[in-house]
């Protein structure tokens, strides 16, 4: 276990150690996750890589204008209906 841990520069956890040890032909006995965690605790081995945490903020409600035309764009004269789309994207600190 110490060999695989140093080969991965202390960046391998108990789950990946289990996979590597199960595929190792030199180990003839069955290896379990609980066994690996116990041995890692006894040897003082800890993975130096942490799981990334996403900093998510709750978005405020969007204001949507009423659909006055109900997507009926048939007109009888020119310049009767004018349409525009305004989209505001906010990102970053400001």
């Amino acid at each position: 276990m110490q060999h695989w841990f140093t080969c991965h520069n202390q960046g391998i956890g108990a789950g990946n150690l289990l996979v590597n040890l199960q595929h190792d032909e030199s180990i003839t006995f069955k290896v379990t996750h609980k066994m690996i965690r116990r041995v890692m605790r006894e040897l003082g081995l800890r993975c130096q890589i942490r799981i990334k945490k996403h900093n998510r903020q709750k978005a405020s409600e969007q204001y949507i204008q009423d659909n006055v035309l109900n997507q009926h764009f048939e007109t009888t004269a020119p310049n009767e209906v004018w349409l525009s789309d305004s989209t505001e994207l906010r990102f970053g600190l400001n």
Side-chain angles (χ1 to χ4, degrees):
M1 190 178 323
Q2 185 75 40
H3 168 72
W4 284 109
F5 193 72
T6 54
C7 282
H8 288 277
N9 298 323
Q10 300 176 352
I12 189 170
N16 289 332
L17 266 174
L18 174 65
V19 172
N20 286 331
L21 291 175
Q22 285 175 343
H23 292 291
D24 195 358
E25 290 89 18
S26 64
I27 297 176
T28 57
F29 55 91
K30 184 178 178 182
V31 181
T32 62
H33 191 267
K34 189 175 181 180
M35 183 187 303
I36 290 178
R37 289 185 59 197
R38 181 176 44 82
V39 173
M40 282 181 73
R41 193 177 318 118
E42 289 173 0
L43 294 176
L45 303 178
R46 257 187 103 150
C47 182
Q48 298 297 320
I49 298 173
R50 65 174 179 80
I51 298 173
K52 290 182 181 179
K53 296 180 181 177
H54 299 285
N55 188 9
R56 299 203 168 123
Q57 297 175 352
K58 187 176 179 181
S60 61
E61 281 190 31
Q62 295 180 353
Y63 180 72
I64 300 174
Q65 285 280 32
D66 294 333
N67 189 1
V68 179
L69 292 174
N70 285 334
Q71 297 180 352
H72 296 294
F73 304 114
E74 299 171 6
T75 60
T76 56
N79 291 330
E80 205 172 64
V81 175
W82 284 48
L83 298 174
S84 68
D85 180 22
S86 62
T87 303
E88 179 182 350
L89 298 175
R90 292 184 183 193
F91 59 92
L93 295 175
N94 298 324

